[in-house]
Amino acid sequence: MEHNESTGPVPASPSPAGASVPADPAVVTARHDAIRARIDDAARAAGRDPAEIRLLPVSKTVPADAVLADWPALRDAGCLTLAENRVQEAAAKAEFFAAAAATAAAGNGAAADSPAVAPLPRWAVIGPLQTNKAGQLAAFADEFQALDRPKVAAALQRRLADGSASRTGSGNGSGSSGGDGDAGNLGRTLDVLIQVNTSNEPQKAGIAPSEIAAFVEQFGPDGPYPNLRLRGFMTMAMIADPSSPDGDADVRRCFADLRELRDGLAPNVPDGVTLDELSMGMSGDFELAIAEGATTVRVGRAIFGERPKP
C-alpha cells in the first residue's frame, strides 16, 4: 500500500453493511476514560502498578472516518495502538489514516482545521489470519496477537524477509525495516503473540498449552522466524455461565493457566525472545484478567458501543 498523497479532502469511508453506529467522539473518549479508571482500580486491588497494563481499543466494524474522528482524543488520553479483528479492515483503516495525515500535512480543506491526525496509531491485528493474507498484514501491522500455528509463522516470515512488505500506515510503530540486526537486513520485523487455547474449546483458535514450549523454541534470531519478535501470549477465556456459581472461577482459571504457562517457560526462552506480554481480558472480563496478570486488555464495545446483531 502507498500513502495517498492527494491534496484534496479525504472522503469519509462509507459504513459497511452491518457496521456499528458510530458514537460521538466525546462519548467514546468518556467511555475510554471510564474503562481506564476501572483498569487502574483492578490493578491496585491486585497489588499491581496500573502503568503495567495497556488498554487496547478494538474498533471492529466501526467505520474508518468515525475512528479517525475519535483518534486525537484517544491518543491524548494515552492510547498508542488501535486493534482490529480482521486484517482487511485493519489495512483499510491504516491506509485511510495515512491519507488523512497526508492531507492534513498539506494544509488543504477541512482537514487543516481538524485535530491533528499525526502521530498515527500503531496497528494491531488480534484475529485469526489465513496464510494468503500474510503479505497484507506484513505490509502495515505493528503487532499480531493471534499467531496460532507454524504455517502462519512461516508465511509471515517469508513476506517480511523478502522485502515486499514495505512499511505503511503508522509513523511510530514497532514494526520496522532495518535497524534490527540480522533480521533488519532481511526486511521488516513484526511483534507477535502466540494465541493459546487455555479453555480447550474446540471451536476456538489457538495452540494447545501442551504444544507451546516446542513452538516458542522456534523463535529468536537463530530460528526459522527471525523477523517475528515473540513478545508473549494471548488467550480468550470461556464465556462464564451466568447460572453457574463457578462461572467467574472458570474464566479466571483460563487466565491463570496462561500466566502459569508463561512463568514456567520464561526462564529458558531463546535469545531475543521475551514473554512479558499477556494479552487477556475483554469488555466483560478484563478485571478478572488483570487479577491474574494481564498486561494488555482488549476492549471494543465498552468503548465504541454495541455492535449490530448479525
Side-chain angles (χ1 to χ4, degrees):
M1 288 185 295
E2 297 294 334
H3 288 193
N4 182 350
E5 300 295 344
S6 167
T7 57
V10 177
S13 62
S15 300
S20 58
V21 178
D24 182 273
V27 173
V28 170
T29 304
R31 291 172 180 162
H32 173 279
D33 292 348
I35 294 296
R36 183 69 247 184
R38 287 173 58 190
I39 288 170
D40 293 354
D41 288 345
R44 285 189 282 265
R48 300 180 59 196
D49 181 354
E52 298 173 352
I53 302 158
R54 173 176 61 154
L55 170 54
L56 182 58
V58 183
S59 59
K60 175 183 175 182
T61 77
V62 181
D65 54 340
V67 182
L68 181 66
D70 298 331
W71 170 241
L74 289 174
R75 182 189 60 225
D76 291 347
C79 175
L80 299 177
T81 307
L82 295 175
E84 289 291 337
N85 278 47
R86 297 173 62 248
V87 65
Q88 299 97 315
E89 188 173 358
K93 285 178 178 172
E95 188 169 22
F96 187 82
F97 269 60
T103 298
N108 294 303
D113 299 321
S114 300
V117 178
L120 293 170
R122 299 173 73 256
W123 292 98
V125 176
I126 63 173
L129 181 71
Q130 297 176 330
T131 55
N132 63 356
K133 298 291 194 300
Q136 187 176 23
L137 186 146
F140 78 94
D142 299 280
E143 184 177 342
F144 177 47
Q145 292 199 4
L147 184 58
D148 61 356
R149 57 194 187 279
K151 187 176 180 180
V152 173
L156 286 169
Q157 172 61 33
R158 286 194 300 272
R159 299 310 295 264
L160 289 164
D162 68 10
S164 64
S166 59
R167 185 78 183 112
T168 65
S170 162
N172 61 344
S174 61
S176 61
S177 54
D180 285 297
D182 293 340
N185 294 330
L186 296 173
R188 289 191 64 232
T189 58
L190 176 68
D191 287 350
V192 297
L193 306 184
I194 296 174
Q195 183 172 355
V196 185
N197 187 353
T198 54
S199 64
N200 296 310
E201 295 172 284
Q203 74 273 21
K204 281 188 177 174
I207 296 178
S210 61
E211 300 173 4
I212 290 297
F215 195 25
V216 168
E217 285 297 320
Q218 300 300 304
F219 291 85
D222 298 324
Y225 318 124
N227 292 66
L228 301 182
R229 303 192 297 193
L230 181 57
R231 297 306 191 216
F233 300 137
M234 183 270 268
T235 198
M236 296 176 62
M238 64 177 63
I239 297 175
D241 180 354
S243 65
S244 170
D246 298 324
D248 282 355
D250 292 338
V251 171
R252 188 162 175 168
R253 184 72 250 165
C254 294
F255 299 141
D257 285 348
L258 190 68
R259 172 178 48 78
E260 292 167 4
L261 177 67
R262 187 276 309 273
D263 291 349
L265 294 173
N268 300 303
V269 295
D271 290 343
V273 171
T274 63
L275 299 180
D276 296 334
E277 279 284 344
L278 292 179
S279 177
M280 53 190 195
M282 299 187 292
S283 292
D285 58 15
F286 67 82
E287 284 147 324
L288 296 175
I290 289 169
E292 292 297 341
T295 61
T296 294
V297 296
R298 311 178 302 274
V299 179
R301 58 181 170 81
I303 293 175
F304 294 102
E306 291 292 338
R307 300 186 178 105
K309 301 296 182 184

